[in-house]
């Protein structure tokens, strides 16, 4: 009888421990047909992964430590569903790899994680976020700029107060391991504040990635982004502005001014999205007859369920590449249809 009671007590104890920690396996598998045409070159027709959103899998977990304190972690790996290969060779958790603590004070995270400009601004202000091929924010925002994800970083995210939240992060070396003396490292910091309450979203972020001390040709990259959205219910309007200085560490490079206007219209299980984006003085076009890149994107989503979405998109951007036949700037067009499933 005593052994039975002891066993029952142990089982209850183990059950309590298991319930105190929660680990979730999640991911996205995204596949579709993509037509891609750059002026002066033959079109590419392919079955490709990640048009609506990069294919990935990950683990996230939380343990309740008591008194409002929690331990959290996230590990996330990107892959190409059409080939099964890792998005970044030799880097399993290329998207996220961090551990942290959260409570009434906010949250502290240590490891590899998104910059605030990548997540809070470019992922939220553009209706296409950081996806939809050339429709994504990075087509014009932060071109050859600050790393989207910071390795070797520590971030602090404040609690939310009536829709307001602030964040600050620092990386000892954004892309690789720290070196002795740090002379060859590229440290960076990320600052952000956002208001997300009801129909209003407003975001301001600033990032700076410093050049290596032992390389005088590397200037400090500075990236400021400001934007927001307003949801009227039947339609949501989006707008954004960015200014990038010293893209790709080029000292004295002209500043890039970037603009975005967008709209998203939900109806039933469907949603239509459209954007116009422009960047002036973009580095890739420096020295050419037109140093701006601009274009539009339009997309359509149909939700078969909360987890499965059919999509179609078209975009066209001017002067975004170089023709192979005569070296002049080339326009680019893309069309895609596909399916995305989340688990």
């Amino acid at each position: 009888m005593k052994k039975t009671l002891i066993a029952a007590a142990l089982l209850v104890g183990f059950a309590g421990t298991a319930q105190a920690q929660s680990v979730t396996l999640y991911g996205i598998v995204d596949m579709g047909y993509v037509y891609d045409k750059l002026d002066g070159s033959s079109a590419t027709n392919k079955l490709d992964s990640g048009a609506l959103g990069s294919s990935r899998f990950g683990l996230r977990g939380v343990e309740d430590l008591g008194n409002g304190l929690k331990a959290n972690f996230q590990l996330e790996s990107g892959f190409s569903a059409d080939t099964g290969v890792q998005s970044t060779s030799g880097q399993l958790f290329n998207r996220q790899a961090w551990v942290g603590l959260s409570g009434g004070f906010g949250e502290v995270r240590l490891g590899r994680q998104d910059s605030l400009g990548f997540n809070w601004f470019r992922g939220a202000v553009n209706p296409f976020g950081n996806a939809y091929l050339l429709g994504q924010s990075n087509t014009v925002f932060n071109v050859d700029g600050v790393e989207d994800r910071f390795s070797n970083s520590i971030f602090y995210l404040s609690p939310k107060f009536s829709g307001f939240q602030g964040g600050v992060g620092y990386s000892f070396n954004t892309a690789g391991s720290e070196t002795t003396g740090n002379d060859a490292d590229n440290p960076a910091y990320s600052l952000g504040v956002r208001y997300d309450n009801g129909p209003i979203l407003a975001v301001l972020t600033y990032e700076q990635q410093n050049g290596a001390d032992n390389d005088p040709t590397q200037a400090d990259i500075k990236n400021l982004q400001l934007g927001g959205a307003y949801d009227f219910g039947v339609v949501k309007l989006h707008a954004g502005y960015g200014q990038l200085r010293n893209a790709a560490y080029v000292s004295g490079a002209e500043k890039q001014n970037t603009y975005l206007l967008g709209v998203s219209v939900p109806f039933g299980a469907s949603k239509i999205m459209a954007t116009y984006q422009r960047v002036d003085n973009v580095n890739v076009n420096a020295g050419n007859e037109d140093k701006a890149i601009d274009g539009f994107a339009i997309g359509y989503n149909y939700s078969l369920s909360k987890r499965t979405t059919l999509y179609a998109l078209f975009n066209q951007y001017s002067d975004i590449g170089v023709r192979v036949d005569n070296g002049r700037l080339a326009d680019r067009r893309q069309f895609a249809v596909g399916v995305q499933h989340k688990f």
Side-chain angles (χ1 to χ4, degrees), residues 26 57-60 72-78 91-100 109-114 149-155:
Y26 68 93
F57 71 91
L59 294 167
R60 63 168 65 96
N72 313 294
F73 78 88
Q74 185 174 7
L75 303 171
E76 188 173 282
S77 177
Q91 190 176 8
L92 177 57
F93 297 112
N94 62 310
R95 296 179 59 89
Q96 301 277 355
W98 57 264
V99 64
R109 298 175 177 177
L110 304 171
R112 178 171 172 81
Q113 47 202 309
D114 295 342
R149 295 184 173 93
F150 286 9
S151 294
N152 310 300
S153 67
I154 175 171
F155 273 73

Side-chain angles (χ1 to χ4, degrees), residues 219-241:
D220 297 343
I221 304 176
K222 303 175 181 180
N223 187 34
L224 174 71
Q225 298 174 130
L226 171 66
Y230 191 92
D231 192 348
F232 291 93
V234 294
V235 61
K236 188 174 183 180
L237 302 180
H238 308 251
Y241 167 77

Side-chain angles (χ1 to χ4, degrees), residues 24-339:
T24 302
L25 171 67
Y26 68 93
I28 293 174
V29 182
D30 185 308
M31 283 294 301
Y33 162 78
V34 176
Y35 168 90
D36 195 340
K37 179 68 168 68
L38 182 72
D39 288 348
S41 301
S42 299
T44 302
N45 295 277
K46 55 186 175 179
L47 190 65
D48 208 0
S49 173
L52 178 59
S54 299
S55 296
R56 71 199 74 166
F57 71 91
L59 294 167
R60 63 168 65 96
V62 57
E63 181 186 15
D64 190 344
L65 302 174
N67 298 318
L69 185 65
K70 296 179 180 180
N72 313 294
F73 78 88
Q74 185 174 7
L75 303 171
E76 188 173 282
S77 177
F79 66 94
S80 297
D82 54 324
T83 62
V85 303
Q86 289 178 309
S87 297
T88 305
S89 178
Q91 190 176 8
L92 177 57
F93 297 112
N94 62 310
R95 296 179 59 89
Q96 301 277 355
W98 57 264
V99 64
L101 295 173
S102 63
F105 59 88
E107 184 172 13
V108 175
R109 298 175 177 177
L110 304 171
R112 178 171 172 81
Q113 47 202 309
D114 295 342
S115 72
L116 298 177
F118 177 75
N119 195 339
W120 285 14
F121 179 84
R122 297 194 294 281
V125 170
N126 186 339
F128 296 116
N130 295 311
Y132 290 85
L133 304 178
L134 289 178
Q136 66 180 288
S137 301
N138 194 236
T139 297
V140 296
F141 284 92
N142 197 44
V143 178
D144 294 327
V146 179
E147 293 284 341
D148 290 336
R149 295 184 173 93
F150 286 9
S151 294
N152 310 300
S153 67
I154 175 171
F155 273 73
Y156 167 72
L157 307 177
S158 78
K160 294 181 180 179
F161 301 101
S162 301
F164 285 98
Q165 185 178 25
V168 57
Y170 178 80
S171 168
F172 292 89
N173 191 9
T174 53
S177 299
E178 299 91 338
T179 62
T180 303
N182 304 319
D183 289 342
D185 293 350
N186 295 124
Y189 58 85
S190 178
L191 306 171
V193 61
R194 63 180 173 180
Y195 177 79
D196 190 1
N197 193 14
I200 303 174
L201 169 68
V203 183
L204 173 65
T205 63
Y206 176 79
E207 268 119 24
Q208 181 167 318
Q209 184 171 322
N210 294 337
D213 293 340
N214 61 1
D215 188 349
T217 66
Q218 290 190 359
D220 297 343
I221 304 176
K222 303 175 181 180
N223 187 34
L224 174 71
Q225 298 174 130
L226 171 66
Y230 191 92
D231 192 348
F232 291 93
V234 294
V235 61
K236 188 174 183 180
L237 302 180
H238 308 251
Y241 167 77
Q243 185 179 101
L244 177 68
R245 293 177 179 267
N246 299 327
Y249 297 112
V250 180
S251 181
E254 293 182 88
K255 61 179 180 241
Q256 297 178 12
N257 291 307
T258 309
Y259 313 91
L260 174 144
L261 292 174
V263 61
S264 53
V265 182
F267 54 99
S270 301
K271 182 166 70 170
I272 294 177
M273 299 151 289
T275 57
Y276 170 79
Q277 296 189 108
R278 177 183 176 91
V279 55
D280 295 325
N281 297 326
V282 67
N283 252 19
V284 71
N285 283 351
N288 292 288
E289 65 271 20
D290 184 352
K291 293 189 290 184
I293 290 175
D294 72 329
F296 70 91
I298 183 167
Y300 171 76
N301 288 354
Y302 182 81
S303 298
L304 296 173
S305 70
K306 290 183 178 180
R307 296 181 178 274
T308 304
T309 301
L310 300 177
Y311 61 86
L313 64 95
F314 175 80
N315 60 63
Q316 177 170 316
Y317 278 82
S318 65
D319 298 336
I320 197 169
V322 178
R323 298 176 64 108
V324 297
D325 52 354
N326 58 21
R328 293 180 177 274
L329 292 176
D331 298 349
R332 188 176 181 184
R333 291 166 293 282
Q334 294 175 325
F335 169 75
V337 291
V339 58

